[in-house]
Amino acid sequence: MSARYEELKSLKNLGQKYAYTDREVMLYAYGIGLGADPMDESELAFVNEGTLTPRPLKVVPTFASVAAWGSGPGEMNLNRVMVVDGERDITFHQPLPTAAHITADSSVLEVYDKGKDKGVVISHQTVLKNEKGEKLATLVASRFARGDGGFGGPNLIQPDAHQIPSRAPDKSIDITTRPDQALVYRLCGDRNPLHSDPEFARKAGFPRPILHGMCTYGITCRGVLQTYADYDPAAFRQHIARFSSPVYPGEIVTMDLWKDGNVISFEAKVKSRGVTVIKNGKTVLG
């Protein structure tokens, strides 16, 4: 077995400590677009705690993706300019509290070496736990390092993606993003200038800053919340999506959804450019 494969596979970082408050919870919800209509009580429950008539603040399930921002299994020494997000898969063990001290245990699950000049896919997980040591959420991320690979790792095949039903969608909804949405979402943790600096975006090959892929991921969670989950975060058991193309802030994201029992399949596209931005999406409700 190659030394580089063993180096990546052995990465592990346990007991990383983080904390968040209701401020971060509301900022994330606003960052993925909830609360755009300041009179929509269903969405206000995620961005406003209520005053004259108190009501509990709700936490968007995919807030788990930023609750321990910066956690990870360790330095992978990759060509970062060539690294892109491939997939996110979050399993929810219990609803997230509105404020908490948490720990994050991160480790590499597998390394898929596609060969020289073909890149490598690294799958790693982070388990979030509360102060009692109980699991809150398990996050599995796949990153595609296009500038690496060919170091002699085992010839492994990635698991098949979730298949979308062949019938017409059961629902289709349009979600409008704001022109300044990336500038808000970046305050949740991801300060990558690709999403905020026009000059940097142009050098990276884009005409203007793009929306964070994880913001689009959160938008798809929002889409399931408003269609099949009755805005109930506790209904979510799992939320998976593969990233296929970026969204530009201000564009309209169209979500197609299929319901089969407690499984919601989805894809998302930007019709104005004829591109699919999220593929092979699956939410499990329960």
Side-chain angles (χ1 to χ4, degrees):
M1 200 64 66
S2 79
R4 179 65 171 136
Y5 172 81
E6 293 292 351
E7 174 194 354
L8 290 168
K9 190 72 186 300
S10 65
L11 287 175
K12 185 177 295 186
N13 194 356
L14 307 180
Q16 302 163 87
K17 297 185 182 299
Y18 292 88
Y20 65 85
T21 68
D22 61 354
R23 179 185 184 279
E24 286 75 34
V25 166
M26 289 185 281
L27 178 62
Y28 176 81
Y30 182 65
I32 64 170
L34 287 166
D37 178 355
M39 296 300 290
D40 185 334
E41 294 286 345
S42 296
E43 294 196 358
L44 278 177
F46 294 88
V47 295
N48 182 287
E49 63 273 28
T51 304
L52 292 179
T53 304
R55 52 171 158 69
L57 181 69
K58 293 183 179 182
V59 183
V60 179
T62 50
F63 172 73
S65 64
V66 300
W69 177 258
S71 61
E75 178 55 56
M76 297 183 182
N77 295 311
L78 303 171
N79 181 351
R80 293 183 179 179
V81 176
M82 300 291 284
V83 175
V84 295
D85 256 326
E87 180 177 330
R88 279 298 189 285
D89 175 354
I90 302 181
T91 297
F92 307 99
H93 304 292
Q94 56 180 292
L96 294 171
T98 56
H101 286 82
I102 60 176
T103 59
D105 294 337
S106 302
S107 59
V108 170
L109 294 175
E110 195 50 86
V111 180
Y112 303 93
D113 186 357
K114 294 179 173 294
K116 186 173 176 56
D117 301 323
K118 295 182 180 180
V120 60
V121 175
I122 302 169
S123 175
H124 59 92
Q125 78 169 15
T126 296
V127 180
L128 304 182
K129 298 178 182 179
N130 62 19
E131 290 185 284
K132 297 179 180 179
E134 300 168 333
K135 290 183 179 180
L136 295 171
T138 297
L139 295 70
V140 176
S142 292
R143 63 178 68 179
F144 180 30
R146 296 170 294 166
D148 295 86
F151 48 76
N155 186 21
L156 302 174
I157 299 175
Q158 289 179 255
D160 291 335
H162 173 67
Q163 294 302 303
I164 300 298
S166 57
R167 68 181 186 273
D170 298 320
K171 286 183 184 290
S172 186
I173 60 172
D174 289 334
I175 299 176
T176 300
T177 63
R178 299 187 307 273
D180 66 344
Q181 193 148 346
L183 298 178
V184 175
Y185 185 83
R186 72 190 297 262
L187 301 180
C188 296
D190 189 347
R191 299 284 187 98
N192 186 336
L194 178 61
H195 309 293
S196 60
D197 186 330
E199 181 183 13
F200 188 95
R202 286 192 295 270
K203 286 188 175 181
F206 297 97
R208 55 194 174 97
I210 62 175
L211 193 63
H212 304 69
M214 289 306 294
C215 182
T216 305
Y217 178 75
I219 286 171
T220 63
C221 177
R222 172 188 167 195
V224 177
L225 270 171
Q226 72 183 63
T227 54
Y228 290 114
D230 195 28
Y231 287 99
D232 180 11
F236 280 69
R237 298 292 177 267
Q238 188 178 31
H239 191 71
I240 307 173
R242 284 195 171 186
F243 306 105
S244 56
S245 189
V247 173
Y248 289 98
E251 290 185 322
I252 296 173
V253 175
T254 299
M255 267 188 84
D256 292 331
L257 304 102
W258 296 259
K259 186 177 188 301
D260 294 286
N262 67 334
V263 174
I264 311 300
S265 302
F266 62 87
E267 287 192 337
K269 63 190 70 172
V270 174
K271 289 182 176 180
S272 62
R273 289 188 289 118
V275 297
T276 299
V277 296
I278 293 289
K279 292 182 177 180
N280 307 110
K282 181 178 80 170
T283 301
V284 179
L285 302 175

